[in-house]
Amino acid sequence: MTPAGRRILAAAEELFYSRGITAVGVDLIAEQSGVTKRTLYNQFGSKDRVVATYLAERDRRWRSLVRATVDTCERRVEAVTAPFDALRTWSETNTRGCAFINALAELPDPSHPAHRIAANQKLWLLNLFEELAVAADCSDPVTLATRLFVLHEGALATQPLPIDTLSETADLARALVRAGERPHR
């Protein structure tokens, strides 16, 4: 990506996350990034591609943080709840809730490229919870993964409120994992 493309993407990320995708037009993105609309269209082709690129980049950073957090766990059972620890770190700089939940609400058409990216991000997390539960030899990893996913999404959805639901949610997630551990013989 060119320097102008990176500036466009940085401005779009700030604007989309703080104001909403549908509330932000290409004129504002171009203005905030210091480029012309023509440059924006030359770099991305359309606002939809800017939105999709913005979400794809957030997704890449989120997955990288989650994987790094999982990799630091000494025990497989601890890794099952590592996405909650990653969320604590992520939330230090992302305080307006989940960009992917927001995108799914603003872009309900499943054929929209950004909708697909947001939906795939959610499915990736659900599948990751299941993979981690299987690796930790938890009983009924599919049900556990679904429950952990719902807890995680609830923590994200309540993030903009002036209460800390993440601590309680992470504690509940750990309790679910402990309850799902198989006794080792």
Side-chain angles (χ1 to χ4, degrees), residues 20-159:
I21 293 167
T22 57
V24 173
V26 293
D27 289 325
L28 184 57
I29 297 168
E31 178 187 319
Q32 292 291 310
S33 60
V35 302
T36 63
K37 276 187 3 182
R38 181 178 186 164
T39 300
L40 185 146
Y41 284 116
N42 285 341
Q43 292 288 311
F44 292 96
S46 68
K47 178 183 172 184
D48 288 348
R49 290 229 10 241
V50 175
V51 175
T53 305
Y54 146 70
L55 289 174
E57 178 57 21
R58 281 185 79 89
D59 184 34
R60 184 196 62 73
R61 290 192 319 264
W62 167 246
R63 289 183 194 211
S64 177
L65 174 63
V66 171
R67 286 185 186 112
T69 307
V70 167
D71 290 346
T72 64
C73 295
E74 293 181 16
R75 298 176 41 229
R76 288 183 181 168
V77 72
E78 293 170 1
V80 181
T81 59
F84 290 90
D85 298 328
L87 183 56
R88 167 91 44 217
T89 301
W90 184 265
S91 296
E92 291 171 3
T93 56
N94 296 275
T95 58
R96 195 179 170 273
C98 178
F100 302 102
I101 292 172
N102 298 344
L104 289 169
E106 288 193 67
L107 306 168
D109 180 359
S111 67
H112 191 288
H115 180 97
R116 286 193 302 268
I117 290 168
N120 287 338
Q121 188 275 335
K122 297 302 176 188
L123 294 174
W124 171 81
L125 185 60
L126 175 62
N127 291 331
L128 178 66
F129 277 127
E130 184 178 343
E131 290 170 20
L132 295 170
V134 167
D137 196 31
C138 293
S139 62
D140 198 2
V142 173
T143 300
L144 178 60
T146 301
R147 289 175 178 169
L148 293 173
F149 177 74
V150 168
L151 283 172
H152 194 273
E153 295 305 294
L156 280 166
T158 58
Q159 184 184 25

